[in-house]
C-alpha cells in the first residue's frame, strides 16, 4: 500500500538558515508527489508538485523539492528561512486520484 | 478564479444533531474531494466526485455520513446523529483537467466541534 512518512514532527530553524523537511514515500507505481503548507485554522496551499520530467521542482515562496527514486524521497528545502514560513507542512502522494498525506511537520522559525 | 470556498467555517453542535457543510469548487473543475483532518494529523480521504458521480468512498465514511454533488457543481457533506469523535476539520478540494489528474486545490475548511 502506498504511504508517506515525514521524518520529524517538529523542526526549528533560525531566520536565514536552511530549511530541510524530509519526506519518504512508498509506491508500487511511479508516484505523483506534492507538498502543501497549512497555516493555523486554514486550508492547505499547494507549494509544489512532481508528476513527470525534471526531478528538481521549484515551487512558491522560494521552496523546492527533489524527487529521488533510488531513495524514495521527496525532501523540501528552502535556502533561507523567513519568519513567515512558520507553518505545518504536509507531503502527499497521489493514489488513484486521491491524496495520501504524511502526518505533517511543524516548522518553527526563530529570530 | 476565486478558489475553493466552504461554508460554514466553524460549526458547533450538540451530540446527536445533524449538520451539513457546503463546498463550492473552482468553477471549471470536474473533480471534487472531501477530506477529514484531526488535530496533529494529515488529512484523510473521505470521498470523491467526478462531475455528479460519486466514484469512491472511504471506509472512514460511516453510514451517518452522506455526500452529494447533484449538478456537478457544489457539494454538500451531511453528518447525521453527530458524535464527539466527529469533531475535526472537514476539507474540500477540487481539481480539473488542465492541472492534471492528481493536482488538488483545497478550501479553507469547516471546523466542526461536537459537544
Amino acid at each position: 500500500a502506498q504511504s508517506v512518512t515525514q521524518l520529524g514532527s517538529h523542526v526549528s530553524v533560525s531566520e536565514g538558515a536552511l530549511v530541510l523537511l524530509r519526506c519518504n514515500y512508498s509506491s508500487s507505481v511511479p508516484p505523483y508527489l506534492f507538498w502543501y503548507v497549512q497555516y493555523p485554522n486554514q486550508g492547505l496551499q499547494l507549494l509544489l508538485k512532481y508528476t513527470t520530467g525534471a526531478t528538481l521542482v521549484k515551487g512558491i515562496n522560494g521552496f523546492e523539492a527533489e524527487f529521488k527514486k533510488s531513495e524514495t524521497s521527496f525532501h523540501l528545502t528552502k535556502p533561507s528561512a523567513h519568519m513567515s514560513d512558520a507553518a505545518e507542512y504536509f507531503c502527499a502522494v497521489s493514489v488513484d486520484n486521491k491524496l495520501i498525506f504524511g502526518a505533517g511537520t511543524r516548522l518553527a522559525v526563530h529570530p | 478564479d476565486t478558489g475553493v470556498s466552504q461554508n460554514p467555517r466553524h460549526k458547533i453542535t450538540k451530540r446527536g444533531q445533524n449538520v451539513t457543510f457546503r463546498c463550492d469548487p473552482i468553477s471549471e473543475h470536474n473533480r471534487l474531494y472531501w477530506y477529514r483532518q484531526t488535530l496533529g494529523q494529515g488529512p484523510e480521504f473521505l470521498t470523491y466526485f467526478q462531475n455528479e458521480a460519486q466514484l469512491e468512498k472511504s471506509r472512514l465514511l460511516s453510514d451517518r455520513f452522506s455526500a452529494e454533488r447533484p449538478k456537478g457543481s457544489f457539494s454538500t457533506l451531511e453528518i447525521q446523529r453527530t458524535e464527539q469523535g466527529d469533531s475535526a476539520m472537514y476539507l474540500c478540494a477540487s481539481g480539473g483537467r488542465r492541472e492534471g489528474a492528481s493536482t488538488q486545490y483545497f478550501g479553507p475548511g469547516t471546523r466542526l466541534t461536537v459537544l
Side-chain angles (χ1 to χ4, degrees):
Chain A
Q2 286 83 351
S3 65
V4 173
T5 302
Q6 291 185 240
L7 295 175
S9 59
H10 290 81
V11 170
S12 181
V13 300
S14 299
E15 191 174 18
L18 171 72
V19 175
L20 170 61
L21 304 182
R22 300 179 186 274
C23 173
N24 289 88
Y25 68 91
S26 67
S27 176
S28 57
V29 296
Y32 289 175
L33 295 160
F34 302 82
W35 276 99
Y36 285 85
V37 61
Q38 187 176 35
Y39 298 98
N41 295 313
Q42 294 188 25
L44 279 70
Q45 181 182 11
L46 180 64
L47 275 179
L48 49 78
K49 64 180 180 181
Y50 169 78
T51 53
T52 58
T55 56
L56 182 62
V57 181
K58 295 187 184 297
I60 62 172
N61 301 340
F63 284 94
E64 61 183 35
E66 186 171 12
F67 170 61
K68 291 187 177 180
K69 183 178 179 180
S70 61
E71 299 177 7
T72 62
S73 68
F74 191 55
H75 302 330
L76 182 71
T77 60
K78 181 174 180 177
S80 177
H82 192 272
M83 297 295 289
S84 61
D85 294 327
E88 185 111 28
Y89 291 80
F90 292 95
C91 182
V93 62
S94 177
V95 177
D96 296 331
N97 282 314
K98 59 184 178 286
L99 295 176
I100 306 297
F101 286 88
T105 297
R106 183 167 297 279
L107 176 66
V109 182
H110 51 85
Chain B
D1 181 355
T2 57
V4 178
S5 62
Q6 293 186 244
N7 287 288
R9 293 291 309 275
H10 303 274
K11 179 70 177 178
I12 300 174
T13 191
K14 293 182 179 179
R15 188 177 54 184
Q17 298 295 304
N18 299 344
V19 294
T20 300
F21 310 140
R22 176 178 170 126
C23 172
D24 288 88
I26 294 171
S27 58
E28 66 269 24
H29 284 180
N30 63 331
R31 291 175 288 112
L32 188 148
Y33 306 80
W34 286 98
Y35 291 82
R36 181 170 67 187
Q37 184 181 24
T38 53
L39 277 175
Q41 300 297 318
E44 295 175 294
F45 170 79
L46 291 178
T47 190
Y48 152 56
F49 291 84
Q50 182 159 308
N51 300 314
E52 66 274 12
Q54 188 173 19
L55 297 186
E56 187 174 348
K57 292 192 292 186
S58 163
R59 287 171 294 176
L60 291 175
L61 213 64
S62 76
D63 291 344
R64 297 184 296 106
F65 288 69
S66 62
E68 294 182 344
R69 194 183 183 197
K71 298 182 179 179
S73 57
F74 73 91
S75 175
T76 57
L77 178 68
E78 181 183 15
I79 308 175
Q80 296 182 328
R81 304 180 304 282
T82 52
E83 301 173 356
Q84 288 185 325
D86 297 331
S87 295
M89 175 80 92
Y90 290 84
L91 294 163
C92 176
S94 70
R97 296 182 185 90
R98 186 177 62 181
E99 295 87 357
S102 302
T103 303
Q104 298 177 26
Y105 296 91
F106 283 79
T110 295
R111 182 168 295 283
L112 173 67
T113 302
V114 181
L115 302 177

